[in-house]
Amino acid sequence: MSSEATVISACGVSKHYRIRSGPPISLHETLGFWLRGRRPRSQWHEFCALRNFDLTVKTGDKLAFLGNNGAGKSTFLKLICRITPPSSGLITLHGRVASMLEVGTGFHPELSGRDNIFLNGAILGLSRRQVLDRFDRILAFADIGEFADTPVKHYSTGMFVRLAFAVAAHTDPDILVIDEVLAVGDQEFRAKCVAHLSGPDQAERTMLMVSHDQEILQRIATRGIVLDHGRKLFDGPITQALEFHRAHMTTPPPT
Amino acid sequence: MSRQRLIITNQPPGFRGVVGEFWRCREIALLLARRDFLVRYRRSVVGFCWVLFKPGMNALVLTFVFGHLAKLPDQGVPYAVLVLSAAIAWQFFTGVLTESGGSIVNNVPLVTKVYFPRMLLPLATLPVNLIDLLLGLILLWLVMGWTGFVPGWTALLLPLAGIPLVLVAYGAGLWVSALLARFYDLKNVIPYLLQFGMLVSPVAFSAALVPERWRLVYGLNPLVAPLELFRWCLIGDRYQLDPMMVLPSVGMGLLLFISGVWAFRRFEREFADVL
């Protein structure tokens, strides 16, 4: 497959959420609606998180999504990861997707580091064989030494985060989706993560990321997309995208 | 290099895609089950004894009330054996149902942060409860030895009788997990439904007690077939089994399973949005 092949193409993708003002809906209320044969429409309003979004991503692209809170960045990542379906539109993916929307998803405090590596690896799409192949590399990257068989509830926060990130970083997917997780660990470990993600062996990997840390984006990303209220405002090289974002956003993003 | 191609729209994926994906992700179900199994006994001192406590107490009380006080017919079988042989199957059903019910809402981080077939979450409750069921069988054999009861050759067919039990339990589990994710207050109703269910299902008594003309109606309870088949296997072919009751009940069980899959697929796409 040539390096110019399309891995993601999104066409007219929208995502609406139905938001209800007031407390969450209970069974009692729903039964009431059914008995009356309709829902009280007035209490619902549609919230459009992503509006008619088009995107083409080629192999090896490192995409950064920029925008203020609520611009639709995370929503798009959730659609790519199939956590929630789009309301309309079509996304075509070529290749395996692994998501790092949160560090340590599915980790159980009572289980040992070793057990958690296998469970987390499976959840992120690896077979048992593949986890075994990567096991030593994961332990080395996490640098947790002799604590592999200790329940993770006894880990320090730093160790926990390092292990969780190490598993996610070694899943070797075709498409890696990262949401705000680079802000983990101490300075040293963060530098290690960034070095890992921008390393030469990652050239073929397609990445989609959301981060408020402009320095990290500058180092890893090659292309930036600026979103505002679910619409695409800018799509181009990362340096220009960062400048565009700075110039057009009235409220600066928190760093 | 061949890469899998995937199209995401607002339509649910086709049935074949779902089955294939289920198979690819089977390891997740096993690892989730392993996690639940390890966590379950890690902090308890008496460990496995708890598993035998519930069906054991159930059988004790039910034997006393229905066997000794009410003096219900026992078909020549020690009443404790009659009750316990169905009580362990009932325990499996309630275990799967209650744990499935929590499987989505207790794993919110998994549901909102990674993708895998959600049906694996209720499915992962089956292995742990199957182990409990096997332990229950050991208890049953101890009671049989104590009462001097000799089981028949039909015990060899027990794995077959387990199939309708697993289908009914998983079907009900799918319904409950999907509904609980959407309507969390249903959680309060489940203990009452289970209590009611135990009284209308043949746990404390033999289904042969049901009058002839009501048997077809009684067979509409999907639990009749698994419980009675279990009992028949464990007690032997001297135990009366009425096909008029068992067959419609098997059909209802299948219906429960299929509708559970349907309901779960209908609700699962909303999970990440409503949780």
Side-chain angles (χ1 to χ4, degrees):
Chain A
M1 188 175 274
S2 78
S3 61
E4 280 300 285
T6 304
V7 277
I8 302 173
S9 78
C11 193
V13 174
S14 299
K15 176 71 186 178
H16 307 279
Y17 284 104
R18 267 212 332 246
I19 306 286
R20 209 181 82 106
S21 34
I25 190 157
S26 70
L27 178 68
H28 174 80
E29 289 171 288
T30 307
L31 282 180
F33 299 153
W34 285 350
L35 291 179
R36 271 176 262 132
R38 65 196 150 82
R39 286 166 182 264
R41 279 273 161 216
S42 57
Q43 288 193 42
W44 293 90
H45 63 271
E46 291 249 307
F47 168 72
C48 196
L50 206 60
R51 227 179 279 259
N52 208 7
F53 186 71
D54 296 308
L55 183 70
T56 307
V57 183
K58 309 248 182 245
T59 308
D61 274 0
K62 313 275 189 283
L63 238 69
F65 290 85
L66 307 169
N68 291 344
N69 288 332
K73 300 165 293 181
S74 297
T75 301
F76 186 68
L77 297 192
K78 280 191 175 176
L79 295 181
I80 293 283
C81 298
R82 287 195 290 165
I83 286 162
T84 180
S87 306
S88 61
L90 186 92
I91 303 173
T92 313
L93 300 176
H94 298 267
R96 192 167 65 83
V97 180
S99 55
M100 286 166 74
L101 298 192
E102 183 187 67
V103 156
T105 301
F107 267 51
H108 197 288
E110 295 279 348
L111 295 185
S112 69
R114 183 184 302 274
D115 288 336
N116 269 312
I117 290 175
F118 279 97
L119 178 60
N120 202 230
I123 287 168
L124 293 175
L126 295 181
S127 68
R128 199 182 150 70
R129 182 84 252 143
Q130 288 171 310
V131 177
L132 273 174
D133 287 345
R134 292 163 172 77
F135 194 79
D136 293 332
R137 275 190 287 148
I138 292 173
L139 277 190
F141 191 88
D143 195 20
I144 53 168
E146 71 268 43
F147 293 105
D149 290 307
T150 312
V152 299
K153 65 176 173 180
H154 297 309
Y155 282 23
S156 70
T157 314
M159 284 164 68
F160 181 89
V161 162
R162 289 208 301 273
L163 180 63
F165 190 91
V167 181
H170 287 85
T171 49
D172 297 335
D174 302 307
I175 304 163
L176 182 62
V177 177
I178 311 167
D179 190 356
E180 290 289 1
V181 295
L182 291 168
V184 301
D186 52 24
Q187 276 289 318
E188 194 190 342
F189 186 70
R190 208 179 317 171
K192 193 171 167 183
C193 297
V194 173
H196 178 85
L197 290 176
S198 55
D201 54 332
Q202 306 285 322
E204 279 285 290
R205 179 137 31 251
T206 307
M207 293 186 197
L208 308 181
M209 67 197 93
V210 167
S211 174
H212 287 300
D213 190 326
Q214 307 217 343
E215 204 181 314
I216 288 179
L217 291 181
Q218 187 89 51
R219 279 203 52 195
I220 303 175
T222 54
R223 180 177 159 195
I225 296 195
V226 182
L227 289 172
D228 184 41
H229 291 95
R231 285 201 177 87
K232 185 159 75 176
L233 294 186
F234 182 89
D235 181 355
I238 183 68
T239 318
Q240 281 159 268
L242 285 169
E243 270 168 28
F244 182 92
H245 179 241
R246 264 194 294 272
H248 281 76
M249 296 299 142
T250 44
T251 46
T255 45
Chain B
M1 193 164 109
S2 73
R3 287 176 165 182
Q4 66 186 73
R5 184 159 153 274
L6 182 80
I7 294 171
I8 303 173
T9 61
N10 60 352
Q11 295 302 311
F15 184 72
R16 273 184 59 193
V18 171
V19 173
E21 190 170 55
F22 216 85
W23 181 244
R24 273 198 305 280
C25 296
R26 64 193 183 279
E27 278 185 11
I28 299 181
L30 284 175
L31 284 163
L32 285 172
R34 190 180 127 84
R35 175 192 75 176
D36 293 342
F37 179 75
L38 289 175
V39 169
R40 191 161 185 165
Y41 297 111
R42 185 138 295 179
R43 293 226 219 170
S44 82
V45 185
V46 273
F48 290 107
C49 296
W50 283 120
V51 177
L52 305 180
F53 182 76
K54 272 193 277 181
M57 277 309 276
N58 252 346
L60 203 68
V61 172
L62 295 177
T63 303
F64 181 70
V65 174
F66 290 89
H68 291 266
L69 294 183
K71 294 205 172 23
L72 293 183
D74 57 9
Q75 300 201 24
V77 178
Y79 211 84
V81 172
L82 192 78
V83 168
L84 194 59
S85 56
I88 52 175
W90 173 256
Q91 190 61 46
F92 174 83
F93 175 76
T94 55
V96 170
L97 191 80
T98 43
E99 284 164 34
S100 299
S103 67
I104 303 294
V105 280
N106 295 339
N107 285 300
V108 169
L110 284 185
V111 176
T112 58
K113 297 296 180 190
V114 274
Y115 176 81
F116 59 90
R118 310 302 188 204
M119 276 187 207
L120 294 179
L121 284 171
L123 185 74
T125 63
L126 292 178
V128 188
N129 284 292
L130 271 177
I131 293 173
D132 291 0
L133 183 63
L134 292 178
L135 290 169
L137 282 177
I138 295 174
L139 179 70
L140 176 67
W141 277 316
L142 287 178
V143 172
M144 280 179 170
W146 187 54
T147 53
F149 180 86
V150 185
W153 59 273
T154 48
L156 297 173
L157 295 176
L158 198 61
L160 283 178
I163 295 172
L165 179 65
V166 166
L167 278 187
V168 168
Y170 187 44
L174 284 172
W175 265 109
V176 171
S177 56
L179 286 174
L180 272 189
R182 186 74 178 76
F183 309 108
Y184 193 58
D185 40 353
L186 262 184
K187 178 184 64 141
N188 303 310
V189 188
I190 287 172
Y192 297 102
L193 283 180
L194 284 176
Q195 212 171 26
F196 177 70
M198 194 176 85
L199 291 175
V200 298
S201 304
V203 180
F205 51 86
S206 153
L209 214 65
V210 177
E212 204 81 44
R213 60 200 165 108
W214 287 109
R215 290 197 173 174
L216 208 60
V217 180
Y218 195 61
L220 293 179
N221 177 351
L223 277 161
V224 169
L227 293 175
E228 285 291 284
L229 284 171
F230 232 72
R231 211 172 240 155
W232 180 77
C233 287
L234 288 167
I235 289 176
D237 52 6
R238 79 184 99 159
Y239 183 75
Q240 292 171 27
L241 195 66
D242 187 350
M244 280 291 281
M245 250 182 321
V246 173
L247 288 178
S249 178
V250 168
M252 289 302 285
L254 266 179
L255 194 68
L256 182 68
F257 174 70
I258 293 166
S259 66
V261 173
W262 173 83
F264 195 90
R265 302 231 309 125
R266 187 181 172 302
F267 282 108
E268 85 178 318
R269 296 170 66 74
E270 293 183 7
F271 283 169
D273 296 344
V274 297
L275 286 171

